[in-house]
Amino acid sequence: MLQEINFDGIIGPSHNYAGLSLGNLASASHAGDASFPRAAALQGLGKMRHNLALGLAQGFLLPLPRPNPRFLSAIGADGSEDRRLLAAAWSASSMWTANAATVSPAADTADGRCHLTAANLVTMPHRSQEWPDTLRQLRLAFADAAHFALHDAVPGCFGDEGAANHMRMGTSHAAPGLELFVYGTSGGAFPARQHEQASRAVARLHRLDPARVLFIEQNPAAIAAGAFHNDVVAVANERVLFTHELAFADPAGTYAVIRAALPEAEIVEVPASAVSLADAIKSYLFNAQLLTLPGGEMALVIPLEAWEHPRVRAWLDGMLASNGPIRRVLPVDVRQSMANGGGPACLRLRVVADPATVDPRFMLDAAKADRIEAVITAHWPETIAPAEIGSEGLAAKVIAARLALLEALDLGELA
Ligand code: SUG
């Protein structure tokens, strides 16, 4: 049966805080902190178990090879020249699988297959190295060519951040939907990562019906305030768009075209007077998973930081007391990822598919979660201090940890 499957990134053993992402306030403010990769990965796994227990289909993607020798050799470096380049080669940033690819479900595409385009992530050097290895993995997970079409990343002249700047609305996951591509033009001192031409290229590659595609500009003020991806200020699921008032350059115009194309649309807008842009970005209220539960009601899986934020909590309490479409709010602890600017939504890639058409090695169940936990507990470093990045001993441990996971999951061909 066609359903939404969330593929979470397993948080890699080299998870660290190197302050690599200009415009991502959490990454900047935690630069140089010690990280806790084991706790980070267990938190991520905890979120997957949480969603599995809700009766939802859950998959995962594996950490990429790190440190990445190909990144340094491609620029004629060995890591001794510049600590930031070295840290880039060690980055565990592929955990944020919302940036792995853009996904168009089969119901939206001309050939009736689910299309995935790997995201080039060129705006951030440490992320630009991800896509070839990500695509290798996607080609394994979605190898069934009768149901999936995979595309290389679009050329690097047009920055593409994948599903983090893409939303889909419709009456159900299986019915034809409206695809919303959100791009940036400027962000003040911060880069606008998603180029409009990348969004347009992906829409063409996926063979979407132009009548059911919208291209929407991000509010430059939101980018300048730290919303480096659209999914920091908006999330959609089926007929519901949950958004901050200041997410888009032209909110009223955006809502009008959505309503014209999808009369069933319900727009839940949080006013800046209740939750400022700064509070939204600090708490990551919108970097939530908006999920349709098996019983049909919608739940919002938010980070604990949002639940604990007094003004955000007050707004959520009011929303729950009202008769809105979002009926449950479920906080989860992903603090290690949050400290690098990655909330519950960043950690997952949504794919509408029949789980039976996905390589079963990428699907989670309770027994496999236990197996993954055992590998993380045995092999993931407890902590990484910034000065340890580059150490040979730590590199050997990180490489061995990933290989142990691949072996436990019978995915040795990704080694
Ligand atoms: O690209 N952080 C990631 C966070 C990505 C969040 N994803 C979504 N919003 N979908 C980024 O900025 C920080 C790494 C460091 O500083 O060490 C980092 O890459």
Side-chain angles (χ1 to χ4, degrees):
M1 192 191 70
L2 276 182
Q3 55 190 290
E4 179 179 282
I5 312 170
N6 283 272
F7 289 84
D8 282 41
I10 295 178
I11 296 175
S14 68
H15 159 63
N16 70 90
Y17 299 117
L20 296 176
S21 281
L22 176 68
N24 170 342
L25 303 183
S27 155
S29 68
H30 290 276
D33 286 2
S35 65
F36 293 88
R38 192 183 305 159
L42 293 176
Q43 287 169 1
L45 185 63
K47 172 168 96 74
M48 289 191 247
R49 283 187 167 128
H50 172 272
N51 291 352
L52 199 59
L54 294 171
L56 301 167
Q58 183 68 49
F60 54 85
L61 295 174
L62 282 299
L64 303 185
R66 296 289 179 268
N68 183 2
R70 283 185 293 119
F71 178 74
L72 292 174
S73 68
I75 52 174
D78 64 11
S80 62
E81 303 82 357
D82 183 328
R83 296 268 329 151
R84 286 178 72 81
L85 293 179
L86 181 68
W90 280 66
S91 179
S93 54
S94 67
M95 70 176 82
W96 299 297
T97 51
N99 306 115
T102 306
V103 186
S104 293
D108 299 352
T109 68
D111 65 1
R113 294 189 294 169
C114 173
H115 284 242
L116 298 95
T117 295
N120 63 33
L121 301 174
V122 290
T123 309
M124 294 294 144
H126 69 289
R127 305 218 60 183
S128 67
Q129 64 187 317
E130 291 175 29
W131 82 262
D133 287 320
T134 296
L135 185 60
R136 249 178 94 206
Q137 204 171 151
L138 297 176
R139 287 199 188 281
L140 274 190
F142 307 109
D144 183 343
H147 294 98
F148 300 101
L150 284 91
H151 305 274
D152 283 359
V154 304
C157 49
F158 304 129
D160 182 15
E161 297 284 320
N165 277 65
H166 173 258
M167 301 184 288
R168 178 177 192 267
M169 298 182 72
T171 50
S172 76
H173 294 307
L178 183 64
E179 298 211 8
L180 289 69
F181 290 82
V182 189
Y183 62 89
T185 51
S186 66
F190 295 152
R193 297 198 199 183
Q194 180 73 32
H195 197 291
E196 179 181 354
Q197 291 304 332
S199 297
R200 291 187 181 275
V202 172
R204 281 190 296 266
L205 289 167
H206 291 192
R207 301 180 60 194
L208 301 178
D209 176 354
R212 288 191 286 114
V213 176
L214 298 178
F215 297 98
I216 300 167
E217 189 189 343
Q218 271 171 286
N219 182 356
I223 299 175
F228 55 97
H229 289 137
N230 171 67
D231 70 4
V232 174
V233 282
V235 60
N237 177 57
E238 297 187 330
R239 63 184 201 289
V240 177
L241 171 65
F242 176 51
T243 181
H244 192 272
E245 181 185 7
L246 300 176
F248 309 117
D250 173 14
T254 299
Y255 306 157
V257 282
I258 291 173
R259 289 195 175 106
L262 184 73
E264 299 86 352
E266 284 195 58
I267 296 169
V268 180
E269 185 196 66
V270 181
S273 57
V275 175
S276 68
L277 207 43
D279 284 348
I281 289 162
K282 179 126 193 92
S283 70
Y284 260 42
L285 166 63
F286 297 92
N287 199 260
Q289 289 185 262
L290 185 55
L291 299 163
T292 304
L293 300 178
E297 63 179 10
M298 267 192 218
L300 193 67
V301 175
I302 59 166
L304 266 177
E305 285 83 346
W307 194 238
E308 290 167 353
H309 188 290
R311 287 183 293 278
V312 170
R313 177 67 169 271
W315 189 87
L316 286 168
D317 286 342
M319 177 196 75
L320 286 170
S322 77
N323 204 18
I326 303 172
R327 299 310 317 143
R328 292 175 70 185
V329 174
L330 306 170
V332 292
D333 178 1
V334 288
R335 290 191 198 279
Q336 282 287 309
S337 168
M338 282 284 287
N340 248 338
C346 299
L347 285 164
R348 61 90 176 93
L349 182 69
R350 292 183 282 189
V351 179
V352 174
D354 179 344
T357 62
V358 177
D359 186 319
R361 293 176 296 177
F362 293 89
M363 296 298 301
L364 193 72
D365 58 27
K368 205 182 283 185
D370 291 347
R371 231 151 70 218
I372 294 171
E373 177 174 348
V375 176
I376 292 168
T377 305
H379 294 277
W380 260 232
E382 186 195 347
T383 183
I384 296 182
E388 289 176 274
I389 299 292
S391 113
E392 270 179 38
L394 184 61
K397 193 173 165 68
V398 161
I399 291 166
R402 177 173 174 275
L403 292 178
L405 183 64
L406 295 185
E407 195 184 328
L409 297 171
D410 193 22
L411 279 162
E413 62 250 67
L414 288 172

